[in-house]
Amino acid sequence: MALENEMKICPLCGKSTLEYVNSRHWVCSECGLDLFNNVAAAVGLILYTEDNQILLEKRAKEPRKGFLALPGGFIDPDESAETACVREVKEEIGLNINESDIKFVGSSPNTYIFKNMTYKTCDIFFSCKVPADFNIKQLQIQESEVQELDFYRITSEMDIENLPLAFGSANLMLKKWLNSKKQKGQDF
């Protein structure tokens, strides 16, 4: 388990005077640096077929290497969540989608532990139905991010619980997406 962000060296003055106030706040008694580790924003996309199969990727890197995840990633500075979703899907799996085709599902807090640092994120999820002529074999995965892609049939919350998902936020949003489809009377 990662340490709770226990940095000791001030990144501004280089002195060992950085004091840990709490999980997201440090103060340097030497130069007065007041550093916050604020919530980072990330996106994920639920790509689904007509018969409610969900496209999931097996993660190729930590955190949670080998676990399943939705295509997505961190939002860049000066980028909207929708634009980030389109960009991340193109980068990770080589699929071109339009912002107009994605639908907001919801958001969820998440904890992302990377290289002994704990980051709190707000994960923003969208959904998009894949075209009828979609062929998974034509996708070009970003091998540094994705080991493989596959479809998983989702018809119940138990189907979601049985998936080895990397992040709890994806679990919650897949359930929200599924329940929304059921409320609209769509068959499974």
Side-chain angles (χ1 to χ4, degrees):
M1 187 68 167
L3 299 174
E4 277 297 312
N5 302 342
E6 294 183 14
M7 294 187 298
K8 304 276 189 231
I9 307 295
C10 177
L12 189 59
C13 71
K15 302 269 171 70
S16 298
T17 52
L18 195 62
E19 298 172 27
Y20 183 66
V21 178
N22 61 42
S23 64
R24 65 177 211 99
H25 187 201
W26 300 264
V27 175
C28 179
S29 59
E30 182 69 25
C31 70
L33 175 73
D34 201 10
L35 177 65
F36 287 89
N37 179 11
N38 292 316
V39 171
V43 293
L45 184 63
I46 301 169
L47 285 163
Y48 65 96
T49 64
E50 182 70 35
D51 62 346
N52 295 306
Q53 292 190 68
I54 305 296
L55 184 69
L56 294 172
E57 54 187 43
K58 185 183 280 187
R59 290 181 57 82
K61 67 178 194 174
E62 296 297 343
R64 312 285 288 164
K65 181 179 179 179
F67 284 80
L68 300 177
L70 295 165
F74 287 101
I75 299 173
D76 287 342
D78 300 319
E79 184 176 51
S80 72
E82 294 83 357
T83 300
C85 190
V86 169
R87 176 186 52 77
E88 283 287 345
V89 169
K90 173 68 175 164
E91 288 175 2
E92 286 189 357
I93 64 173
L95 180 63
N96 289 311
I97 58 171
N98 296 313
E99 283 187 32
S100 60
D101 293 333
I102 64 175
K103 306 289 185 262
F104 178 73
V105 174
S107 64
S108 176
N110 192 24
T111 300
Y112 191 87
I113 300 171
F114 183 69
K115 294 191 176 184
N116 293 327
M117 290 289 289
T118 300
Y119 298 91
K120 294 297 185 175
T121 66
C122 179
D123 296 347
I124 305 164
F125 292 88
F126 298 91
S127 66
C128 182
K129 186 175 175 184
V130 298
D133 62 348
F134 179 82
N135 184 344
I136 194 172
K137 293 178 181 174
Q138 293 176 337
L139 297 178
Q140 297 292 331
I141 62 171
Q142 183 180 20
E143 293 179 2
S144 62
E145 298 280 334
V146 180
Q147 287 180 3
E148 62 186 57
L149 294 171
D150 207 350
F151 278 104
Y152 295 82
R153 186 152 167 75
I154 305 289
T155 60
S156 69
E157 287 192 9
M158 187 54 69
D159 291 339
I160 297 166
E161 287 296 325
N162 288 330
L163 292 170
L165 292 170
F167 305 109
S169 58
N171 181 302
L172 290 172
M173 290 301 111
L174 280 170
K175 288 177 183 175
K176 183 175 182 176
W177 172 83
L178 175 69
N179 289 327
S180 172
K181 290 185 75 70
K182 285 184 176 183
Q183 287 174 355
K184 292 175 184 172
Q186 296 180 353
D187 291 330
F188 288 89

